[in-house]
Amino acid sequence: MSRTVLITGATGTVSTALIDALEGADVRLRALVRDASRADGLRDRAEVVVGDLDDPRSLAPAFEGVQDLWLLTPNSPRAPENSMNAVWAARQAGVERVVRLSVIGAAHDAPNRSGRLHALSDQELERSGLRWTILRPHWFMQNLLNETGDIAATGTFSLNVASSRVGMIDVRDIAECAARVLLDAPDRHHGRTYTLTGPRSLTFDEVAAELGRVLGRPVAYLPVSDEAKHKTLLGHGVPEWIADMLEEYARAYVSGWGDVTTDAVAGLLGRPPRDVADFARDHAARFAPAV
Ligand SMILES: NC(=O)c1ccc[n+]([C@@H]2O[C@H](COP(=O)([O-])OP(=O)(O)OC[C@H]3O[C@@H](n4cnc5c(N)ncnc54)[C@H](OP(=O)(O)O)[C@@H]3O)[C@@H](O)[C@H]2O)c1
């Protein structure tokens, strides 16, 4: 009988790509959402269940009959609590395997709060007694989609990362790695942590050049100060906690912390990860000026 996979974060960037990657596979997909009205696009591909990772009492029905949990927590100071609630619900329901999305460099001494928060949840899962696999991806190429407005309007985008190099990864590759793990036998990747990156470590001048090549017009990266970026993010309604977290990442990247690539995607998928040129080509329409 097919296994039932519960997908958390089902309306978000990574889990949407995971649902795409599991299309046609012999699994029953169940999508956890907080707000059923936001799940219309999911209903033809998954059974939709309502639950909130902030509220443990809401989770039991969603976890009933589940064999595999895809555990994604939002960027929030409550992420460890969210993860704890999900792991506890998984234990109570007899879930066999948890595949967890963490972050590159998650550790108790990571230079950013996100990495330190993820380390708490990684460690809890490792000691849960459940079968587990942890995916630690690098900076998402899809973060560049936050810059589509500026690029379309001005041909420029601004980040506070100076000339740092980042081994950025296309979210579609993260999703395909997650799907690979979930479709393999439960013991196959038990106890493994995979640090997932793209094929090369890039400066944002190089990223701009790739975007310009695909769009057929110049695109420039404008380095800005932490203060300027912080102000812009707050102006766009980004919560202060997130703006502060992003600033910690930016500082780490400027120190060289993000200049990392691994062979993990190729090891799991048997092919190299997508390059930023692939990302730019496949998302070109999103960066084009409105006509
Ligand atoms: N961006 C990067 O470069 C990067 C790199 C490595 C790792 N990460 C990690 O990736 C994760 C974020 O993934 P993403 O970008 O796919 O997320 P996302 O697009 O921001 O989506 C977050 C998802 O979590 C759901 N959610 C939020 N609060 C919830 C709650 N209390 N209960 C249940 N669901 C809740 C949201 O549902 P609603 O529709 O209800 O809001 C949404 O589906 C974070 O853990 C982050 O640390 C990010």
Side-chain angles (χ1 to χ4, degrees), residues 191-233:
R192 303 292 302 271
T193 296
Y194 297 107
T195 294
L196 305 176
T197 74
R200 55 186 173 133
S201 193
L202 293 157
T203 66
F204 285 87
D205 280 328
E206 291 168 340
V207 171
E210 289 293 357
L211 287 169
R213 238 189 304 282
V214 164
L215 298 180
R217 60 194 169 83
V219 174
Y221 159 56
L222 305 178
V224 292
S225 67
D226 288 342
E227 293 71 28
K229 189 66 187 176
H230 202 263
K231 201 168 158 210
T232 304
L233 290 171

Side-chain angles (χ1 to χ4, degrees), residues 9 11-14 34 38 52-53 73-75 101 118 137 140 143:
T11 58
T13 308
V14 179
R34 288 190 290 185
R38 294 197 57 199
D52 189 327
L53 295 175
T73 49
N75 264 319
L101 187 82
H118 273 299
F140 299 170
N143 296 340

Side-chain angles (χ1 to χ4, degrees), residues 237-253:
V238 172
E240 183 123 30
W241 189 91
I242 300 275
D244 288 346
M245 175 204 70
L246 293 173
E247 188 171 319
E248 289 166 357
Y249 270 111
R251 288 192 190 153
Y253 294 145

Side-chain angles (χ1 to χ4, degrees), residues 8-15 32-35 38 51-55 72-75 82 101-104 114 118 136-141 143 174 245 249 253:
T8 57
T11 58
T13 308
V14 179
S15 298
L32 183 84
V33 299
R34 288 190 290 185
D35 177 355
R38 294 197 57 199
D52 189 327
L53 295 175
D54 287 341
D55 174 11
L72 181 145
T73 49
N75 264 319
N82 293 158
L101 187 82
S102 177
V103 70
I104 190 165
S114 171
H118 273 299
R136 289 185 176 160
H138 210 323
W139 196 87
F140 299 170
M141 290 179 192
N143 296 340
I174 303 169
M245 175 204 70
Y249 270 111
Y253 294 145

